[in-house]
Amino acid sequence: MKWQRSRGRAVSAGAAAMGMAVAAICAVVALPGQAGAADGEPSPYVFDPEARQIEGATTNGGAKPLDAGATYRDSIEPGDKLIYRLNLDARTNAYVSAVAVPSLGTTVAYGDRITVSVEDPQGRDCSSNDAQFGSAGRFPRPLAAYAYRMIEQGTHACQEAGPYYVVIERTSEDTSSPEPWELEIRHVAEPGLTTAGPTEAPSDWPSASPAPAGGTPRAREGGTGFNDAEDLVDGAWTASVEPGETLFYKVPVDWGQQLFATAGLGTSPGRGFVSGALAMSLYNPARGLVDSAGSMAYSGKEKTTALDPLPPVAYENRFGSRAGDKEMRFAGWYYLKVSLNPQLGEEFGPGPYGLTMRVDIKGEARQGPAYDGPAEDFTVAGGGTDGTDEPGGATSDSTTMAVVAAGGIGAGTALVLWLGVWTLVARRRGRRGRGPGQGTGTGTGPGVGSGPGTGTAETQSYGPPSAW
């Protein structure tokens, strides 16, 4: 299985020679940003091209700082404990996420997990969360978790200005592959409030799921990571997904709005059964795991899985006690991650399979909290398109334009380079633009799914500060 959805970015060194143009074209073919491994296939996850390389320390004294608004790259071995430093004031809430990316073809187990903690200088947890593969099909795919230092009235721990430490740990069972997992680490800051806000979570909110979004489904091939996640808005959406593939989407959810989402597979020829066929997870704008839909069992018949009802986005959700609900704490772009178990390829053929997603955003947008600084990641403004452009539209063209605009390339070389890259991008768009059931010659490809899902998708756990 060797498929790619990456929208990697080639960068020219600025020389005018034709050899440099050819090298740049080859860079697009190679699709930088993919994680490699000694054994399993590279993961198609596309890392942030502006991510800085960093090396986690084994002690606090050697920890390197993570700047707010910056993204970093590292890797983690089984049993590793990596430490990084945060330099925080006494007003700003700090969130640090880690995306762990195992290589395709490697082995993962139920208990394999990534844990992210933020600790004060005395080693006390400010927060600690993890994500593990659980029962959602034990196959390699990206996992993400976050931890934070939150300023909260009436709390004594983790409130002072000074150094704090991010600890990322990998737990692996003996049956798992020993290859390192690539890491994408991001630190985002949420401003304090100009005036004191609410301190209690809402006790009552609409929990009934709406009727599934109607209308004619529109094609929207997913991205390959948080960095290139494709926009979705209200409505039904279709994509083609291959066994072992993970697709990323992002949805704008403003203050006061609720998000509902389902994902389904259509009918497939042949007979078989896969207990954890499709896993869907939701992450908030700081890449904190909010919820995971039931790990859908699949026997070749139409089937869907859905997120549990979640509260409307509200600042005060953070003060709740229920995991998941408390992560609906800020406005912004929420991420949907959908993974297809590679076992489907063994049971029902290599695909691609038809994926149908339905997204509902309910409620009118409301005024947000009075932040004392720019909202940055915690606003829907400027976070993407309106979700109506066709796949391969203006957003996808950024690859081509970035290469052509690279400094120092002469007009003739740029033209040759542009034509080469345009051809490559067009070929990739042909793959991305092929809708479910198209191009197979059989007319019996998977269609729109429906029906309940069962099981647990991707699990998370939350722990209170150890000082509590």
Side-chain angles (χ1 to χ4, degrees):
M1 175 180 62
K2 292 186 181 296
W3 40 261
Q4 296 175 326
R5 285 183 183 270
S6 310
R7 289 185 288 174
R9 301 180 182 180
V11 179
S12 170
M18 180 65 71
M20 294 301 293
V22 174
I25 295 175
C26 292
V28 176
V29 177
L31 297 173
Q34 294 188 355
D39 294 318
E41 295 182 37
S43 167
Y45 184 91
V46 170
F47 293 86
D48 186 341
E50 298 181 0
R52 311 171 190 175
Q53 197 67 39
I54 196 171
E55 186 174 344
T58 57
T59 64
N60 287 0
K64 298 177 181 178
L66 302 177
D67 296 334
T71 304
Y72 298 83
R73 290 282 305 274
D74 203 349
S75 62
I76 188 166
E77 305 273 354
D80 268 1
K81 180 178 180 179
L82 306 180
I83 304 174
Y84 312 86
R85 188 175 79 250
L86 301 175
N87 298 315
L88 303 180
D89 59 25
R91 288 189 56 81
T92 305
N93 297 323
Y95 296 85
V96 178
S97 62
V99 183
V101 186
S103 296
L104 298 179
T106 56
T107 301
V108 297
Y110 177 95
D112 287 4
R113 73 185 65 200
I114 193 77
T115 303
V116 184
S117 305
V118 173
E119 300 178 352
D120 69 9
Q122 289 71 46
R124 297 174 296 185
D125 276 357
C126 303
S127 73
S128 181
N129 300 317
D130 67 24
Q132 69 181 68
F133 290 101
S135 60
R138 300 168 195 177
F139 60 94
R141 60 190 184 277
L143 293 178
Y146 80 165
Y148 44 84
R149 191 289 298 264
M150 189 172 74
I151 299 299
E152 184 177 357
Q153 291 182 353
T155 300
H156 300 288
C158 302
Q159 302 297 293
E160 301 82 9
Y164 288 79
Y165 298 93
V166 176
V167 181
I168 300 177
E169 300 176 79
R170 174 183 169 185
T171 302
S172 294
E173 297 185 6
D174 293 339
T175 57
S176 302
S177 299
E179 285 84 3
W181 292 354
E182 295 293 314
L183 291 177
E184 184 174 66
I185 305 165
R186 181 161 173 77
H187 172 200
V188 295
E190 181 190 30
L193 302 180
T194 56
T195 57
T199 58
E200 293 185 4
S203 58
D204 186 30
W205 45 269
S207 59
S209 298
T216 302
R218 290 172 283 177
R220 175 69 79 199
E221 298 297 332
T224 53
F226 286 95
N227 181 61
D228 70 343
E230 289 283 358
D231 302 359
L232 295 182
V233 292
D234 273 342
W237 304 88
T238 61
S240 56
V241 58
E242 297 184 5
E245 190 174 14
T246 295
L247 305 181
F248 285 79
Y249 296 91
K250 59 181 180 178
V251 183
V253 189
D254 216 334
W255 300 104
Q257 294 184 323
Q258 277 182 286
L259 172 63
F260 299 87
T262 68
L265 294 174
T267 302
S268 296
R271 294 184 178 181
F273 181 81
V274 179
S275 60
L278 186 71
M280 178 171 65
S281 297
L282 175 69
Y283 298 86
N284 66 22
R287 302 185 182 180
L289 181 58
V290 177
D291 188 27
S292 292
S295 178
M296 189 180 72
Y298 186 69
S299 60
K301 298 180 180 180
E302 293 181 356
K303 199 72 173 292
T304 63
T305 186
L307 296 173
D308 288 336
L310 295 163
V313 170
Y315 184 89
E316 56 268 32
N317 284 338
R318 66 192 64 202
F319 302 114
S321 59
R322 180 178 170 183
D325 290 3
K326 60 193 290 185
E327 310 314 321
M328 302 296 291
R329 61 178 62 193
F330 23 56
W333 290 79
Y334 281 72
Y335 297 90
L336 288 167
K337 185 192 73 175
V338 182
S339 300
L340 190 65
N341 195 325
Q343 190 179 345
L344 264 76
E346 303 171 10
E347 297 287 335
F348 301 101
Y353 290 76
L355 171 71
T356 297
M357 300 184 66
R358 299 182 185 276
V359 172
D360 289 277
I361 303 172
K362 298 300 182 183
E364 295 294 328
R366 299 177 182 173
Q367 184 68 33
Y371 283 135
D372 65 2
E376 300 292 347
D377 293 68
F378 309 118
T379 176
V380 299
T385 69
D386 62 1
T388 60
D389 60 306
E390 292 301 317
T395 303
S396 298
D397 287 338
S398 60
T399 300
T400 303
M401 298 310 297
V403 175
V404 174
I409 299 179
T413 301
L415 177 59
V416 174
L417 177 58
W418 186 89
L419 290 173
V421 175
W422 183 88
T423 301
L424 291 169
V425 172
R427 289 176 179 172
R428 293 206 336 251
R429 286 179 184 166
R431 162 69 180 91
R432 291 170 61 86
R434 188 176 70 232
Q438 295 179 358
T440 63
T442 64
T444 58
V448 176
S450 62
T454 58
T456 303
E458 182 177 304
T459 61
Q460 60 181 334
S461 60
Y462 298 84
S466 56
W468 286 6

